[in-house]
């Protein structure tokens, strides 16, 4: 204990003898970097960031760059088009509305009244039903007209042979009743065979037949020229093979298959929108059809690029570069 007390007294005396000025001295701060040039650059940057004028100009340049990037992105997207629907054309509208591409009346302006003016008259059908270029059940307008005329001739009232005993008033009433009944029957048959009242499956079947008739090479070979063949080398000994004659309508060419896939894609895209966004099966089927069409478009772009077949298909179906270039994502 005596030794500890002695050591404490010695330490206190030493501390009292030390000059306080030595403890007040402070060493200069040492920079993190050992190189003066880096230190100066860092100080200049720190001063730049602390300058309000420089910060304002920096934010302005950044905002201008971001706005320009967004504008360029929109321009590129508009140039590529919609990878699912493409561009709306009269032929595509005719597939949706079952109207001919030359129809002048728009779908928004047609009347869908279902009440008749008098009990004797049948209710009017939709206004666009009379302008339909195609009918259900593979019927044509001449066939329907001939059948209705034949049924009218069969159901006409019998005219009395003895005209002296005939009642003209009764015959007039019978003819009037027969005409009203024929109008009702004609309206009923027209509604039955109209694609406006058909199911989605029947509409798709009619659209597929239209696409085959429009893009099939059994109809287009006469007025659409294919791509010019490549120049063969003079030393080639391969004999030119004759084309196999086609039997029946063309259903397997690339343009026909692309048209059929486009019609099916529009149906699935319409179902996928709105409340059916969570339909995973429909989304997968839509993606499969899009990628299948993309492969066919790439193949035809390689084989028929610049030809009249390619131009005719692109213009009628409204397909853009986004349908066969890049990655197609269904969100």
């Amino acid at each position: 204990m005596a030794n500890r007390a002695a050591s404490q007294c010695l330490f206190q005396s030493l501390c009292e003898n030390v000059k306080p000025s030595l403890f007040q001295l402070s060493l200069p701060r040492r920079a993190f970097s050992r190189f003066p040039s880096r230190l100066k650059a860092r100080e200049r940057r720190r001063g730049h960031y602390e300058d309000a004028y420089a910060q304002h100009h920096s934010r302005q340049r950044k905002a201008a760059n971001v706005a320009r990037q967004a504008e360029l992105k929109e321009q590129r997207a508009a140039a590529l088009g919609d990878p699912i629907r493409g561009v709306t054309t009269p032929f595509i509208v005719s597939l949706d509305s079952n109207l001919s591409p030359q129809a002048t009346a728009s779908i928004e302006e047609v009347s869908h009244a279902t009440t008749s003016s008098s009990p004797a008259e049948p209710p009017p059908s939709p206004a666009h039903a009379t302008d339909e270029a195609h009918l259900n059940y593979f019927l044509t307008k001449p066939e329907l007209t001939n059948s209705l005329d034949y049924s009218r001739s069969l159901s006409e009232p019998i005219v009395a042979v003895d005209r002296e005993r005939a009642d003209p008033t009764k015959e007039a009433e019978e003819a009037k009743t027969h005409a009203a009944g024929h109008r009702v029957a004609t309206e009923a048959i027209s509604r039955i065979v109209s694609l406006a009242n058909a199911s989605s499956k029947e509409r798709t079947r009619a659209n597929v037949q239209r696409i085959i008739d429009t893009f099939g090479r059994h109809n287009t070979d006469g007025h659409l020229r294919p791509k010019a063949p490549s120049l063969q080398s003079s030393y080639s000994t391969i004999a030119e093979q004759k084309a196999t004659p086609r039997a029946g309508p063309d259903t397997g060419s690339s343009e026909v298959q692309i048209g059929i896939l486009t019609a099916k894609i529009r149906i699935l895209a319409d179902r996928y929108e709105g409340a059916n966004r969570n339909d995973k099966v429909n989304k997968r089927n839509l993606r499969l059809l899009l990628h299948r069409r993309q492969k066919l478009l790439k193949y035809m772009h390689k084989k028929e690029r610049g030809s009249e077949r390619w131009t005719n298909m692109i213009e009628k179906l409204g397909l853009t570069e986004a349908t066969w270039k890049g990655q197609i994502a269904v969100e």
Side-chain angles (χ1 to χ4, degrees), residues 269-288:
D270 292 339
R271 293 178 181 175
Y272 184 66
E273 292 178 352
N276 298 324
R277 300 291 293 182
N278 295 327
D279 190 354
K280 305 300 182 182
V281 177
N282 193 6
K283 181 178 180 180
R284 179 180 180 274
N285 294 335
L286 178 60
R287 188 187 299 114
L288 291 176

Side-chain angles (χ1 to χ4, degrees), residues 21-22 114 169 188 226 283 327:
S21 60
L22 295 178
T114 56
T169 305
K283 181 178 180 180
Q327 183 179 0

Side-chain angles (χ1 to χ4, degrees), residues 60-331:
Q60 278 188 339
R61 288 194 299 270
K62 183 177 180 181
N65 292 334
V66 171
R68 180 58 179 168
Q69 290 176 5
E71 183 180 355
L72 292 176
K73 186 176 181 181
E74 292 179 359
Q75 292 178 0
R76 296 190 192 101
L80 288 177
D82 188 1
I84 299 177
R85 296 182 179 275
V87 181
T88 304
T89 60
F91 183 78
I92 292 296
V93 174
S94 67
L95 292 180
D96 296 339
S97 61
N98 303 311
L99 293 173
S100 60
Q102 295 79 17
T104 56
S106 62
I107 303 177
E108 291 80 4
E109 296 176 356
V110 299
S111 173
H112 294 273
T114 56
T115 58
S116 59
S117 57
S118 63
E121 295 293 332
S125 60
H128 65 277
T130 58
D131 298 331
E132 287 182 357
H134 300 272
L135 301 176
N136 201 1
Y137 307 112
F138 301 101
L139 289 176
T140 60
K141 284 193 173 183
E143 292 176 351
L144 180 62
T145 303
N146 295 334
S147 299
L148 291 175
D149 293 342
Y150 182 67
S151 64
R152 180 174 185 174
S153 63
L154 291 179
S155 60
E156 284 181 350
I158 300 175
V159 180
V161 180
D162 190 359
R163 302 305 302 170
E164 295 180 356
R165 298 183 179 180
D167 188 359
T169 305
K170 184 177 180 181
E171 289 181 351
E173 292 178 357
E174 290 178 354
K176 185 177 180 181
T177 304
H178 174 263
H182 181 71
R183 285 195 299 270
V184 174
T186 302
E187 182 64 28
I189 295 298
S190 299
R191 291 192 175 203
I192 290 173
V193 301
S194 174
L195 287 174
N197 300 323
S199 62
S200 177
K201 184 177 181 180
E202 292 171 344
R203 292 184 184 180
T204 304
R205 182 180 60 188
N207 289 336
V208 167
Q209 187 62 37
R210 289 183 57 191
I211 292 170
I212 293 173
D213 296 338
T214 305
F215 299 102
R217 296 186 181 180
H218 62 286
N219 292 331
T220 60
D221 282 343
H223 60 279
L224 294 180
R225 292 179 297 178
K227 185 179 180 180
S230 60
L231 297 177
Q232 297 181 355
S233 58
S234 58
Y235 55 85
S236 177
T237 57
I238 301 177
E240 185 178 356
Q241 298 181 355
K242 295 183 179 180
T244 305
R246 182 178 290 107
D250 177 24
T251 58
S253 60
S254 298
E255 51 266 37
V256 173
Q257 293 298 317
I258 291 170
I260 294 173
L261 289 174
T262 301
K264 293 181 179 180
I265 284 170
R266 290 185 66 86
I267 295 174
L268 290 180
D270 292 339
R271 293 178 181 175
Y272 184 66
E273 292 178 352
N276 298 324
R277 300 291 293 182
N278 295 327
D279 190 354
K280 305 300 182 182
V281 177
N282 193 6
K283 181 178 180 180
R284 179 180 180 274
N285 294 335
L286 178 60
R287 188 187 299 114
L288 291 176
L289 293 181
L290 286 171
H291 292 166
R292 192 182 305 172
R293 184 181 67 176
Q294 185 183 28
K295 291 180 181 179
L296 289 173
L297 282 170
K298 286 183 178 179
Y299 171 78
M300 192 171 180
H301 183 262
K302 180 181 178 182
K303 297 294 183 180
E304 296 288 343
R305 180 180 55 185
S307 65
E308 293 183 359
R309 291 175 180 172
W310 172 263
T311 306
N312 178 63
M313 181 193 66
I314 292 299
E315 290 179 354
K316 287 191 175 181
L317 295 179
L319 302 177
T320 58
E321 293 184 354
T323 56
W324 73 83
K325 287 186 178 180
Q327 183 179 0
I328 301 177
V330 181
E331 298 178 356

